[in-house]
Amino acid sequence: MALGIGRCLLEKRKGHSNNKRDRESDHKSSPSPYLCRFLSNARKKCFSGFGFPSISRIFSSSSSSSDSTCDSNKMTISDSESMVCDFPCTLEEERRIVTELMSEAEDQLKEGNLYFVISNRWYTSWKRFVGQLTEETSSGEALEVTRPGPIDNHGIIDSESDASDPQLLKNLEEAVDYVLVPEQVWNKLVEWYKGGPPIERKLISQGFHSKSYSVEVYPLCLKLRDGRDGSSSIIRLSKQASVGQLYETVCAARGVSKEKARIWDYFGEKKSVLLDPSSEKTLEESCLQIDQDILLDVDGSASSQDDMSSAGNELALVLVEPTTNTMLSEGTVSNGHSNGSMFSLWKNPFKDDACGSSSGFGSREKRGLVGLQNLGNTCFMNSTLQCLAHTPPIVDYFLKDYSGDINEDNLLGMKGELAFEFGELLRKLWSSGQSTVAPRSFKTKLGRFAPQFSGYNQHDSQEMLSFLLDGLHEDLNKVKQKPYIESKDSDGRPDDEVAEEMWKYHKARNDSVIVDVCQGQYKSTLVCPDCGKISITFDPFMYLTLPLPTSRTRSITVSVLYGDSSPLLTPYTVTVPKDGSLRDLTSAVGAACGLKEDESLLFADVFAHKVFKYLDNPLEPLSDIKDNDRIVAYRFNQMHRGPGKARLEILHWEQKKFSIIGRETKYFGIPLVAYANAEPLSGSDIDSIISGLLSPLRRTHSSSSSTVDAGEENGHIEDAADETNGSLSSKNSEVEEDNAAAGDGSFNVFLAETYSSSLKPLEPGFVANPRSTTKVVVEWTKKEHEKYDSSSLDVDLPEVYRPSISVKKTKKEVSLFSCLEAFIAEEPLGPEDMWYCPACKEHRQAKKKLDLWKLPEILVVHLKRFTYSRFLKNKIDTLVDFPIHDLDLSKYVMSKDGQSCLYELYAVSNHYGGLGGGHYTACAKLMDEDKWYDFDDSRVSQVDESEIKASAAYVLFYRRVKSESTSSNMEED
C-alpha cells in the first residue's frame, strides 16, 4: 500500500510475505535483562524470523500505546535502572500493527481519506529494522540494522516553502523518493518515533466508465496575479475542487467580495476564458494546469493590455467545454456555455485562407509545423499526437465535417468528446499563424476518460496511442446497435472463406475511419500439445508489437548439489527462453548435468543461508527469477520423493564469541535438503539423516579404517536416508556405527519456528508434516568443525547472471524483418495464458502461431523495447534497421486480395533515456514538401532523412504505397 497507493488502486496490493527480504533473520540469544531491548549503541542486529507472524487480530490500543519513548541514539548507560528502555512495541509488533492497518485502509477506500507522505529514505530504514527489508553485503551476509531515529521528511521538502505549509520538491517519484501511508499508520509511526513534518494528502476518485482511487500527491498549484497592483501569490487546491471553491479561496485570500471579483484563465499571460463563479465544474475540467497563471480582476482593474484578443486568429482561444452534455459550436459564447446544438454548425478555419479546402495537405502555405507545449511530463502525449497529426487519412478526415459520425450513445465510447477534442487540436495544428499550441483541453479529456494519464507523470507513448485510437474508434463508430454474432471455428473450411466471414462480422460491429485506415487482420493458429486439435481464428489488429530478437533468451547459472566425494556444488550455466517456464530450466539443467531417467531436480532460491522459496511448479515463469538470485538444484532419486515423504531442510547455525549483548549467533553455509517418512522419528533417525548429508564433508584421517567411503557414483543427497525408515544406507551406517562407538555421533538439533526467529529442541517421536517443509537447525560446535570440513559447505553461491565488467559491449543491430520473423514464429503459450481445448475439455499450454493475413492502409509497428517481469524492468537500446522506403511485406502476407504490400515510413515516435523517465520526441514527414522534421515538444526543426534511423525509434508509422504491379493491375481492370 505504501508503495502503490499513488497509482490507481483497482487491485489489492499483495501481502508482504512474498518479499524475499521479509524472510531474513538471524537468531540471537537474549541479551541481559538490564539492557535496553533496542540498544543501538551496541549495534544489535534485529531480524524478523522466517516470515511474518499470522495476522489474527488488530493490536489493541492498550497494548500498543505508551507515553514513554526512547531515543536510542542518545541513551546513556549509568545504572541498571536507566539501562531499561521501555519501548511501546517490539519490532515484530510494529511490523504486525502497520501491516494490519495497511490492510484495513485498503478495505475502506473512499474519497477524502487522508494519506501522509514519508521520505522513502526514512521508511526504508524502518522496514529494514522491522524485517520487511534486508540488504546483504557483497559476501552475502545481512547488513547490521539499528532502530531509526525520528521521521525526517526534510529531504523531500522544498526548502523555500513555508514551514507551516511544507511543499514537496517537484518531480519526486513514488517508491523512490517517497511513500504514502494511511492516516492510521502515520499516527502510529509518529507515536513511536516522533519527527515530521507531516505532509497530508487526500484520496480522490477519477474515471469516466469506472472509478479508481489515487492520492493527489501534487495538488493543483496556481499563480494568482492581482490585476489591481500586479502582485502575485500562490493558490493550492485539489484539481477536483470546483470553480466556485476557487473563487471562495481567492476572495478570502485577497479580501475581495465574491460579487466584485472576476477570475480569468490567464494561461500564457493571456486572458482566454472567464471562469464562472457559479460553476460546479472542477478545476481539472476547466483545463487549468499546474503552475499556470490565473488573473484576478476586480471591477475592471486589469489593464487594457490584458484584454482578451483573438489577434486575428480565433484559434488562439482555448475555450472551456460547456457544462451541459454538448460540445462547442458556432453558438458558443465567451463563458464557455453553448446556446446551440452539439454539431449543428461547423466553422472551417481553412475556408478563407490559402488552403482552398478542408484538407491541410497540398496547400501552398506551410502547415503542420506547429509545436506542442509540454504541460509537465507530457512529451509522451506530444510525440503520439504529432505522429497522428501527420497521418494523411486521419488529418483529411478530421479537417472535414465528421459530426455525422459521432456516436454519443456508445457505452464503450466517450460520448464523442474525445473525438471532438482531438479534431479541434488537429485544426489548430494545421491552421496558419500558429507556432505552438498548448493541448490543455485535450489533456483534460484524456485524463477524464483514462485516469492513468491524468497528473504529470511520464507514460508510455505506445500505451497512449493504443488508448487514443481505440477511444476515437468508439466515439466515431457508425454502428449504433451492435448485433450479436456467435464466433465460429474454422472446422476445416478454406482460410479465405473463414477470414472473409470474420472480417464481415467485425465490420458489422465496428465501422469507423479508424477501422478503415488502421486495422488489419492476422491469422491465429493454436495446436493442442496432447490431442493435436487445431483451432484457427482470424482477428483484427490495430498495430504490430514486434519483439526484439535479442530479448528472446537469457543465461541462468544454477548450482547442482551432489552428495558424493566430488565437489559439493557444481555450477551449470544454461540458456533458456526468456519467457519460458521452470520446465524449460529443468530440461536445460538436466541435460547439462546428465540427469538420469529415475532422477529429478528440486530448485530452490537460497538467500542468507536459508531457502527463501522452493521452485516446484513446472509452469512457474522464469521471469520471476532475478539476475541476482542464487538458485540451487538438489538432485534426488525420484523414489525418495513419493507420497508419504516429508521434506526436511537442514540449516547450519553456530555461536560466536561473547559481546556486550551476550553470545552472538549466526547461520552459515548452504542449506541441505532430505526426505524422510512422515512417521515418528527419533533423535538417532535425525542424526543418521544429517550424518549422511554431511558424509562427503567428513575429514580424512590417517587411519585407513576411518576414511569415509563417499558412496556410489553420483551419490545423491537423498541416499543418506533409507527409503523405508529414513535411516542411513549400509556404507554410511558403518561410518555412523564407528561414530557412535567413539561417542561423537549425535548433533545438537533444533526445530525452527515457522513465523519467528526462536528455536525449540527436537522432541522424541517428532513427525514431519508432508504438506510443508520442516526446518531443522544443526548447531555446529568445535566437535562438528573438527569432524567435518565446513569450508566446503560455506561457499559463495554464484548469482543467476552477473555480466562481466571487463567485456566491452558491442553495438548490436537487428533488422525489422528479424523482429517480424520472431513475431510470427511458433511458440508455446505462457502458463498464465492456457488455452481451453474443446477436444480435451482441459486447459492446455498450446503452441501458438501468428500470420499476417491482410494489412491496413496505415501500418503502425511497435518495437517492444521495454520488458517487465515481477522484479525487473529493462529497456533494450538495440538499433533496429528499418526501411524508410519500399518496405515490402508481400512474403509475410497470406491473403492474396490484390492490395499492395509496399509501405513508406512517414513518422516515428522516439524514446531517449531509460525507464521511469527519459524523453519522447517525434519525427514526421511533411508530405507536400517531402521533408522530415523533428518535433521536440514546442521546438520544430528540419532534420535530414539519414538521421531518422536511430536506436531511439520506438513506434514506426508506415503508409501504403502502390507498387508497379498493383498499378498495372488496376489499369487493366
Side-chain angles (χ1 to χ4, degrees):
M1 187 74 165
L3 300 182
I5 190 66
R7 294 175 280 275
C8 293
L9 301 179
L10 296 176
E11 297 181 0
K12 297 288 186 183
R13 186 180 59 87
K14 295 182 179 179
H16 291 290
S17 60
N18 287 332
N19 192 324
K20 176 186 297 186
R21 293 342 188 209
D22 298 350
R23 301 298 182 94
E24 166 61 12
S25 72
D26 269 7
H27 179 75
K28 293 181 179 292
S29 56
S30 300
S32 167
Y34 298 105
L35 292 177
C36 173
R37 182 180 295 153
F38 301 110
L39 186 54
S40 65
N41 291 350
R43 298 186 61 81
K44 176 184 175 185
K45 297 181 184 179
C46 301
F47 297 99
S48 62
F50 292 96
F52 283 130
S54 59
I55 300 175
S56 57
R57 62 182 176 84
I58 298 297
F59 199 78
S60 64
S61 59
S62 61
S63 62
S64 63
S65 63
S66 174
D67 294 331
S68 61
T69 325
C70 176
D71 186 344
S72 60
N73 293 324
K74 297 180 180 180
M75 185 175 60
T76 59
I77 303 175
S78 57
D79 52 52
S80 60
E81 291 184 359
S82 64
M83 290 163 66
V84 178
C85 179
D86 187 19
F87 283 109
C89 300
T90 65
L91 59 92
E92 290 85 1
E93 289 168 342
E94 284 190 25
R95 182 183 62 216
R96 180 165 61 85
I97 292 171
V98 169
T99 302
E100 290 172 351
L101 292 177
M102 289 284 196
S103 180
E104 277 189 355
E106 288 184 15
D107 293 335
Q108 300 174 9
L109 291 178
K110 63 179 180 180
E111 194 167 8
N113 285 358
L114 292 182
Y115 283 79
F116 285 79
V117 184
I118 300 181
S119 165
N120 189 49
R121 181 176 181 179
W122 184 91
Y123 192 73
T124 299
S125 66
W126 176 83
K127 288 203 301 179
R128 289 195 194 101
F129 173 68
V130 300
Q132 287 188 9
L133 176 67
T134 300
E135 297 177 347
E136 55 182 308
T137 63
S138 57
S139 62
E141 295 293 331
L143 292 173
E144 286 188 309
V145 294
T146 56
R147 186 180 181 89
I151 299 172
D152 185 5
N153 283 334
H154 292 91
I156 58 175
I157 292 176
D158 187 349
S159 59
E160 297 182 359
S161 63
D162 190 341
S164 62
D165 184 25
Q167 298 301 318
L168 293 173
L169 293 169
K170 293 183 179 180
N171 300 319
L172 296 180
E173 187 177 348
E174 187 182 0
V176 176
D177 303 299
Y178 69 89
V179 295
L180 293 158
V181 298
E183 180 182 18
Q184 299 87 338
V185 173
W186 168 260
N187 291 338
K188 279 296 178 186
L189 293 175
V190 170
E191 176 186 328
W192 297 330
Y193 295 93
K194 309 302 182 186
I199 307 173
E200 179 183 298
R201 295 294 184 262
K202 288 186 178 181
L203 194 69
I204 62 174
S205 64
Q206 294 177 284
F208 180 75
H209 293 294
S210 60
K211 295 294 183 181
S212 61
Y213 293 100
S214 64
V215 174
E216 190 176 22
V217 177
Y218 287 97
L220 190 61
C221 176
L222 300 173
K223 299 176 181 178
L224 173 65
R225 180 174 298 185
D226 195 327
R228 295 171 297 179
D229 56 12
S231 62
S232 298
S233 58
I234 299 297
I235 299 294
R236 288 186 174 88
L237 284 173
S238 169
K239 62 183 177 183
Q240 299 292 314
S242 66
V243 174
Q245 290 174 308
L246 174 64
Y247 265 86
E248 293 174 359
T249 302
V250 170
C251 291
R254 308 302 292 184
V256 177
S257 170
K258 188 175 180 180
E259 290 72 21
K260 296 182 179 181
R262 293 192 302 168
I263 300 178
W264 292 87
D265 180 345
Y266 202 55
F267 185 85
E269 298 187 351
K270 293 181 180 179
K271 289 183 179 179
S272 56
V273 174
L274 177 62
L275 302 177
D276 183 1
S278 63
S279 173
E280 292 301 318
K281 291 177 61 176
T282 67
L283 302 183
E284 183 179 36
E285 292 170 341
S286 301
C287 303
L288 297 182
Q289 306 294 317
I290 195 167
D291 292 334
Q292 81 154 77
D293 291 323
I294 55 175
L295 177 65
L296 173 62
D297 186 1
V298 181
D299 290 337
S301 59
S303 60
S304 59
Q305 64 181 3
D306 290 329
D307 289 345
M308 180 170 55
S309 171
S310 64
N313 180 9
E314 69 174 61
L315 289 176
L317 300 181
V318 182
L319 297 175
V320 181
E321 62 167 317
T323 56
T324 58
N325 187 21
T326 60
M327 296 187 183
L328 297 178
S329 63
E330 277 194 322
T332 301
V333 293
S334 61
N335 64 2
H337 292 277
S338 175
N339 57 14
S341 62
M342 182 184 302
F343 296 105
S344 58
L345 296 172
W346 281 83
K347 187 169 184 178
N348 187 349
F350 301 99
K351 66 179 183 180
D352 298 326
D353 58 26
C355 191
S357 69
S358 60
S359 172
F361 292 99
S363 62
R364 296 179 183 177
E365 189 175 341
K366 277 191 178 182
R367 303 185 188 277
L369 299 182
V370 178
L372 287 169
Q373 185 170 335
N374 193 316
L375 304 177
N377 281 332
T378 57
C379 58
F380 75 95
M381 180 182 75
N382 294 346
S383 174
T384 298
L385 290 174
Q386 290 289 9
C387 290
L388 291 179
H390 291 81
T391 300
I394 297 292
V395 177
D396 285 339
Y397 176 85
F398 278 98
L399 295 189
K400 296 176 183 177
D401 184 358
Y402 57 91
S403 59
D405 294 340
I406 291 289
N407 189 341
E408 296 184 70
D409 302 321
N410 188 354
L411 296 178
L412 300 178
M414 289 74 177
K415 301 185 180 300
E417 296 179 30
L418 185 66
F420 176 81
E421 290 295 344
F422 179 75
E424 288 300 289
L425 181 60
L426 287 193
R427 288 171 179 264
K428 295 171 186 175
L429 292 177
W430 284 92
S431 66
S432 59
Q434 297 269 12
S435 60
T436 302
V437 169
R440 295 193 299 156
S441 184
F442 176 82
K443 183 183 183 301
T444 298
K445 290 296 182 187
L446 182 69
R448 181 186 176 195
F449 296 118
Q452 66 268 29
F453 298 121
S454 65
Y456 301 92
N457 293 327
Q458 183 66 280
H459 293 281
D460 189 311
S461 68
Q462 187 273 330
E463 292 179 0
M464 190 263 182
L465 173 68
S466 176
F467 169 82
L468 181 55
L469 290 179
D470 189 61
L472 292 176
H473 158 66
E474 297 296 352
D475 270 2
L476 300 171
N477 195 351
K478 300 173 186 176
V479 180
K480 309 299 181 182
Q481 296 291 332
K482 295 186 178 183
Y484 172 75
I485 301 175
E486 186 175 355
S487 60
K488 301 178 182 179
D489 203 350
S490 58
D491 292 331
R493 293 181 293 162
D495 285 350
D496 290 339
E497 177 184 337
V498 178
E500 183 63 28
E501 178 183 85
M502 296 302 295
W503 187 254
K504 179 181 177 182
Y505 290 164
H506 177 63
K507 287 282 289 183
R509 294 172 56 85
N510 303 276
D511 185 13
S512 70
V513 64
I514 303 300
V515 174
D516 295 340
V517 171
C518 300
Q519 286 196 356
Q521 189 180 33
Y522 62 76
K523 174 184 176 182
S524 175
T525 305
L526 291 171
V527 181
C528 178
D530 293 337
C531 70
K533 166 69 175 176
I534 299 177
S535 174
I536 297 176
T537 58
F538 292 84
D539 302 301
F541 68 85
M542 192 89 75
Y543 50 84
L544 296 179
T545 296
L546 304 186
L548 273 63
T550 54
S551 64
R552 305 291 289 180
T553 61
R554 64 180 294 200
S555 295
I556 292 182
T557 298
V558 175
S559 301
V560 178
L561 189 58
Y562 294 87
D564 58 11
S565 58
S566 63
L568 187 65
L569 281 173
T570 303
Y572 293 95
T573 299
V574 296
T575 301
V576 292
K578 202 164 190 178
D579 55 355
S581 64
L582 188 66
R583 181 180 294 163
D584 299 309
L585 181 61
T586 302
S587 299
V589 175
C593 70
L595 195 70
K596 298 178 182 178
E597 292 184 359
D598 60 346
E599 295 176 337
S600 63
L601 296 174
L602 172 65
F603 291 90
D605 184 354
V606 175
F607 174 75
H609 313 296
K610 307 180 190 74
V611 173
F612 164 68
K613 177 185 178 183
Y614 288 98
L615 310 175
D616 46 14
N617 179 7
L619 299 181
E620 184 165 0
L622 294 180
S623 58
D624 287 352
I625 300 178
K626 298 188 299 180
D627 283 349
N628 62 346
D629 282 344
R630 291 171 170 86
I631 304 298
V632 174
Y634 298 91
R635 186 172 178 172
F636 292 98
N637 189 294
Q638 292 180 3
M639 64 185 297
H640 295 282
R641 299 178 63 184
K645 299 289 186 179
R647 182 190 295 161
L648 301 180
E649 180 182 321
I650 314 298
L651 304 176
H652 313 285
W653 173 71
E654 65 180 349
Q655 295 188 7
K656 293 295 186 181
K657 296 179 180 180
F658 283 88
S659 64
I660 189 174
I661 62 171
R663 186 171 294 172
E664 187 179 6
T665 63
K666 76 164 190 172
Y667 288 94
F668 73 96
I670 303 165
L672 305 177
V673 178
Y675 284 86
N677 290 333
E679 59 185 29
L681 299 176
S682 65
S684 61
D685 292 332
I686 297 296
D687 281 347
S688 298
I689 294 173
I690 296 173
S691 297
L693 291 171
L694 297 178
S695 62
L697 305 180
R698 185 168 181 182
R699 298 183 186 275
T700 302
H701 301 285
S702 58
S703 173
S704 60
S705 61
S706 62
T707 302
V708 177
D709 188 337
E712 299 175 1
E713 181 183 0
N714 287 334
H716 309 301
I717 297 172
E718 77 287 351
D719 293 340
D722 182 78
E723 60 179 301
T724 305
N725 55 21
S727 63
L728 289 176
S729 61
S730 59
K731 292 184 179 181
N732 285 329
S733 295
E734 295 174 2
V735 174
E736 199 57 32
E737 289 173 2
D738 293 340
N739 293 341
D744 60 351
S746 60
F747 296 89
N748 293 329
V749 181
F750 304 89
L751 283 180
E753 295 285 352
T754 305
Y755 296 112
S756 73
S757 58
S758 61
L759 304 177
K760 66 179 182 179
L762 188 68
E763 299 292 339
F766 162 76
V767 179
N769 187 352
R771 292 185 297 273
S772 63
T773 300
T774 301
K775 297 180 183 291
V776 178
V777 179
V778 178
E779 181 183 9
W780 283 68
T781 63
K782 183 178 179 182
K783 177 185 69 175
E784 282 74 28
H785 281 293
E786 290 177 350
K787 184 176 179 181
Y788 300 101
D789 183 9
S790 60
S791 63
S792 299
L793 187 68
D794 196 15
V795 295
D796 289 335
L797 291 172
E799 293 182 349
V800 165
Y801 177 73
R802 179 182 286 264
S804 175
I805 301 178
S806 60
V807 178
K808 185 178 180 180
K809 291 185 177 180
T810 58
K811 189 174 181 180
K812 296 182 179 179
E813 180 178 319
V814 299
S815 71
L816 184 65
F817 297 104
S818 299
C819 300
L820 189 56
E821 293 284 355
F823 173 76
I824 64 176
E826 184 180 70
E827 60 181 2
L829 294 175
E832 67 282 357
D833 297 321
M834 303 283 277
W835 171 62
Y836 182 79
C837 176
C840 298
K841 307 296 183 184
E842 296 286 344
H843 285 89
R844 303 295 188 192
Q845 194 172 5
K847 293 182 178 179
K848 182 176 183 178
K849 188 179 189 310
L850 295 177
D851 291 291
L852 300 180
W853 184 259
K854 66 181 299 183
L855 297 178
E857 180 180 351
I858 297 299
L859 178 64
V860 179
V861 178
H862 165 222
L863 301 177
K864 195 174 181 180
R865 292 195 178 276
F866 302 107
T867 59
Y868 304 91
S869 68
R870 185 175 178 181
F871 300 107
L872 298 174
K873 297 179 181 180
N874 185 38
K875 181 189 176 185
I876 304 171
D877 288 319
T878 302
L879 175 65
V880 177
D881 183 11
F882 51 88
I884 296 178
H885 304 282
D886 300 329
L887 171 62
D888 189 357
L889 300 176
S890 55
K891 75 172 185 176
Y892 298 100
V893 180
M894 302 185 69
S895 174
K896 307 301 178 185
D897 57 0
Q899 289 283 353
S900 171
C901 297
L902 201 63
Y903 285 84
E904 179 184 17
L905 187 75
Y906 69 88
V908 180
S909 175
N910 299 305
H911 179 268
Y912 297 90
L915 288 168
H919 181 62
Y920 286 94
T921 67
C923 292
K925 188 175 185 180
L926 207 59
M927 295 301 178
D928 51 353
E929 289 188 7
D930 196 27
K931 294 180 180 178
W932 283 88
Y933 288 86
D934 177 67
F935 295 84
D936 187 355
D937 290 331
S938 58
R939 296 185 295 274
V940 180
S941 58
Q942 187 173 339
V943 63
D944 192 85
E945 185 177 274
S946 61
E947 301 177 39
I948 302 302
K949 197 178 298 185
S951 59
Y954 183 43
V955 183
L956 311 176
F957 292 76
Y958 284 92
R959 67 184 185 96
R960 176 184 278 132
V961 294
K962 295 179 180 179
S963 62
E964 294 182 2
S965 58
T966 305
S967 302
S968 61
N969 290 337
M970 294 178 62
E971 291 175 1
E972 291 177 2
D973 294 340

